Amino acid sequence: QVQLVESGGGSVQPGGSLSVSCEAPGDIFEINTMAWYRQAPGKPRAFVASITTDGETGYTVSVKGRFTISRDNSKNTVHLQMNRLQYEDTGIYYCHALVMTDSWSSFFDAWGQGTQVTVSS
């Protein structure tokens, strides 16, 4: 079981910016797509953004143009820059990655511990 380590987040007023970061263990053989999910109060976990090893990105419609996902393959990290935050962006943000521990293994899911992002007045 691989645990991703998250950092960042916090509280901000509407229109402000926050970021979250995620790091995978250094001994991981290979990391495929990395992504961010979030869970708003009373709602199921939902996709936010993803980025492939080649840098192709995808976003849920509600954050497109406001959020930017990026990664540093040499550091096994993924970042999510969140601008013009809205009340609806509030939630716990979870980092996700498809990881392979050895060359003969299959990719499997790895998750971060969750980071609170709060947008309030």
Side-chain angles (χ1 to χ4, degrees):
Q1 184 176 353
V2 176
Q3 179 71 53
L4 307 178
V5 181
E6 301 180 23
S7 60
S11 298
V12 71
Q13 295 181 355
S17 298
L18 289 171
S19 65
V20 286
S21 299
C22 174
E23 182 177 4
D27 58 350
I28 295 297
F29 178 76
E30 185 176 349
I31 305 176
N32 205 301
T33 299
M34 303 186 79
W36 289 96
Y37 292 76
R38 67 187 179 190
Q39 186 169 19
K43 296 183 178 180
R45 184 172 57 190
F47 170 80
V48 177
S50 64
I51 183 167
T52 69
T53 55
D54 293 329
E56 294 186 34
T57 59
Y59 300 90
T60 189
V61 173
S62 63
V63 309
K64 199 168 187 177
R66 299 188 296 116
F67 290 12
T68 301
I69 187 171
S70 61
R71 67 188 289 169
D72 185 340
N73 292 334
S74 67
K75 298 180 179 179
N76 293 339
T77 58
V78 62
H79 306 272
L80 184 67
Q81 178 65 46
M82 301 174 286
N83 299 324
R84 292 180 288 153
L85 284 161
Q86 305 168 358
Y87 293 121
E88 294 77 14
D89 296 318
T90 293
I92 301 175
Y93 283 66
Y94 296 93
C95 179
H96 172 266
L98 292 172
V99 303
M100 183 183 294
T101 56
D102 298 286
S103 62
W104 56 86
S105 301
S106 299
F107 285 106
F108 61 92
D109 296 296
W111 291 92
Q113 78 278 13
T115 302
Q116 181 68 47
V117 170
T118 301
V119 184
S120 65
S121 299

